[in-house]
Amino acid sequence: MNVVFMMPTKIILGNDCVIKNASSFKDFGKKAIIVTGKNSAKLNGSLSDVLKALEINGQDYVLYDKVMANPTVDCVYDGAKVASENHADFLIAIGGGSPMDAGKTIALLACQNINKADLFKGNYEKKILPMVFIPTTAGTGSEVTTASIITNDEAKTKSAVAAQFMAPNLALLDSKYLKSLSNNTMINTVLDALSHLIEGYINKKTNELISLIALEGIKIISNQFNNLMNNTYSDDDLDKLMYASNLAGIVISHTGTTLVHAMGYSLTYFKHIDHGRANGLLMYNYLKYYTSIVGDKIDNILKYMNLNTLEDFNDVMNSLLKDKEDIKPCELEDYSKIAINAKNVLNCPFEVTKNDIYKIYLNTFKK
Ligand code: NAP
Ligand code: FE
């Protein structure tokens, strides 16, 4: 047995945890840059909870509320400029994966000069603002991962700015913020978490403990499939979704993602398909393609999902995802050339070729 486990982020999950745990970030600094998307943090109560907590602590803040979905390089440099100009000495990110990911790179760029051309090259100095993360989607787990996924126009894909020291210091998870999500975004983000769990379980870097966490997360999410289809959630259901998304973040913070994410990036970059939906669309055909190699693992996943066959899994995905987008084979061929070069492909516990990727894309989008 060979187990490695590391979780530098302190995680607190519970109702009103932001206000109740205000003292836990009192010592992080005097002035926060609060990073959010345009609207949701103002509408779901998360921003006002943070402002109250800062007031209790006597901490000042500047708000940067310009993060768009799939944040751009320009956005993170702009945010870092705001942090520096306002002398922010810690960062609070509130939102889905986009503001949280942008937050990590803003916290990095606020502490060091990195040319835009070098942003995705790694080798950063070990200097970053202390970070508090407050997720408002149950999807990315970014509140505990060391990666920040930024749109990379140069490579026409999405790439990671990542380093071990980029894990947030504190994650505060209050599932009441999920109540304002549209069911479409809820489904897409939960499928992202499911994809993290499956990709982390079928992964070169997994180990006994990580596999245990992955299967637990898979079980919790599968028990929510009916709620996702009917758009009805009790407070306890929302807690469970937030928890499973966090477990999925813990998993990929150890393993990274694999081929599903590598392939999904082009669907988002070129077709503007939401990140979680992109993964959800690809998952069944990815699993089917590699059944002969990782069949035992797939059987175990199905067991934890309480499903009998991979076709049952496909039926659930189809009910959640509805009609698939039209994408031409020649476009899929181009996406295959991009996906084969993604670093996360190397986490697959088997060889992957460009032709394998093309076939999985074709099987996914054939009519
Ligand atoms: P998102 O892009 O952060 O947000 C999607 C939409 O949901 C936005 O319109 C946002 O509005 C809205 N929203 C967020 N919380 C809401 C709430 N509680 N109520 C109502 N609306 C809400 O979506 P996401 O799926 O969470 O994040 C996707 C990003 O995360 C992608 O860029 C992906 O690559 C990245 N990701 C990162 C990791 C990692 O390990 N770092 C892992 C997986 C994915 P506002 O814009 O107004 O806030
Ligand atoms: Fe993801």
Side-chain angles (χ1 to χ4, degrees):
M1 205 186 278
N2 218 344
V3 170
V4 176
F5 186 83
M6 162 136 169
M7 188 30 64
T9 306
K10 179 172 181 179
I11 302 162
I12 304 177
L13 184 150
N15 198 29
D16 294 330
C17 64
V18 172
I19 305 277
K20 285 181 186 160
N21 295 284
S23 61
S24 57
F25 54 93
K26 193 171 166 40
D27 296 334
F28 283 6
K30 290 191 170 61
K31 185 167 185 176
I33 175 163
I34 305 176
V35 176
T36 72
K38 287 206 174 57
N39 300 308
S40 69
K42 298 182 188 91
L43 302 175
N44 62 32
S46 52
L47 180 60
S48 72
D49 283 353
V50 164
L51 297 184
K52 273 185 224 149
L54 290 172
E55 200 182 337
I56 295 168
N57 291 344
Q59 290 165 304
D60 196 3
Y61 71 91
V62 56
L63 178 64
Y64 183 74
D65 60 359
K66 294 187 183 142
V67 181
M68 66 294 283
N70 308 302
T72 59
V73 169
D74 285 348
C75 167
V76 289
Y77 277 86
D78 188 34
K81 191 161 163 260
V82 172
S84 302
E85 283 174 357
N86 287 278
H87 308 288
D89 51 6
F90 73 113
L91 180 144
I92 301 176
I94 310 171
S98 298
M100 290 195 288
D101 280 5
K104 283 179 206 166
T105 300
I106 290 171
L108 183 78
L109 292 171
C111 295
Q112 55 195 287
N113 290 320
I114 301 170
N115 289 329
K116 283 189 182 176
D118 296 329
L119 183 62
F120 298 107
K121 290 191 182 153
N123 296 323
Y124 316 112
E125 283 178 63
K126 204 174 170 185
K127 288 197 294 190
I128 193 160
L129 296 180
M131 292 178 276
V132 182
F133 274 33
I134 300 162
T136 66
T137 62
T140 69
S142 179
E143 70 277 5
V144 292
T145 69
T146 54
S148 157
I149 311 294
I150 305 296
T151 299
N152 180 353
D153 285 318
E154 184 110 330
K156 293 205 177 327
T157 186
K158 300 180 71 180
S159 301
V161 176
Q164 201 56 51
F165 67 89
M166 286 176 69
N169 303 64
L170 176 66
L172 295 169
L173 285 67
D174 187 341
S175 67
K176 72 168 181 275
Y177 305 139
L178 302 177
K179 287 182 183 170
S180 54
L181 280 169
S182 68
N183 204 43
N184 197 31
T185 305
M186 179 67 106
I187 289 173
N188 290 345
T189 49
V190 171
L191 290 181
D192 188 25
L194 180 64
S195 192
H196 297 160
L197 293 160
I198 290 178
E199 290 177 72
Y201 182 63
I202 302 176
N203 193 301
K204 235 187 223 170
K205 295 184 189 157
T206 196
N207 63 51
E208 305 277 328
L209 179 54
I210 293 304
S211 295
L212 195 76
I213 297 172
L215 290 171
E216 176 66 9
I218 287 169
K219 187 167 84 186
I220 296 171
I221 289 184
S222 309
N223 285 335
Q224 294 294 326
F225 282 152
N226 278 337
N227 292 332
L228 288 169
M229 283 172 204
N230 299 322
N231 191 16
T232 49
Y233 311 92
S234 66
D235 289 354
D236 188 48
D237 292 327
L238 294 176
D239 262 2
K240 287 193 168 125
L241 287 168
M242 192 59 115
Y243 176 58
S245 162
N246 187 255
L247 292 182
I250 292 172
V251 167
I252 56 166
S253 77
H254 289 82
T255 62
T257 52
T258 58
L259 188 54
V260 178
H261 269 64
M263 293 176 68
Y265 291 151
S266 280
L267 303 182
T268 301
Y269 188 86
F270 293 103
K271 295 288 171 188
H272 312 291
I273 297 176
D274 280 359
H275 172 71
R277 177 175 172 83
N279 297 327
L281 287 165
L282 295 161
M283 242 184 300
Y284 162 74
N285 278 293
Y286 164 75
L287 293 174
K288 192 170 173 205
Y289 195 83
Y290 291 108
T291 303
S292 61
I293 306 176
V294 287
D296 289 354
K297 288 217 157 198
I298 294 171
D299 285 346
N300 220 15
I301 289 170
L302 293 170
K303 190 174 104 194
Y304 275 77
M305 294 185 126
N306 213 3
L307 296 173
N308 292 322
T309 64
L310 205 48
E311 298 316 306
D312 295 338
F313 176 82
N314 193 29
D315 289 344
V316 174
M317 290 300 117
N318 286 336
S319 322
L320 292 171
L321 292 163
K322 310 268 172 11
D323 293 339
K324 291 182 186 172
E325 290 74 0
D326 283 316
I327 308 185
K328 295 190 199 84
C330 60
E331 294 176 287
L332 297 172
E333 205 171 345
D334 290 344
Y335 303 168
S336 309
K337 289 179 199 150
I338 295 172
I340 190 65
N341 291 317
K343 283 190 194 140
N344 28 8
V345 173
L346 300 174
N347 295 330
C348 290
F350 37 72
E351 283 288 310
V352 176
T353 67
K354 187 161 57 85
N355 196 36
D356 297 328
I357 297 177
Y358 180 55
K359 283 188 198 152
I360 296 170
Y361 272 135
L362 272 186
N363 292 340
T364 300
F365 290 102
K366 71 171 179 240
K367 292 282 165 184

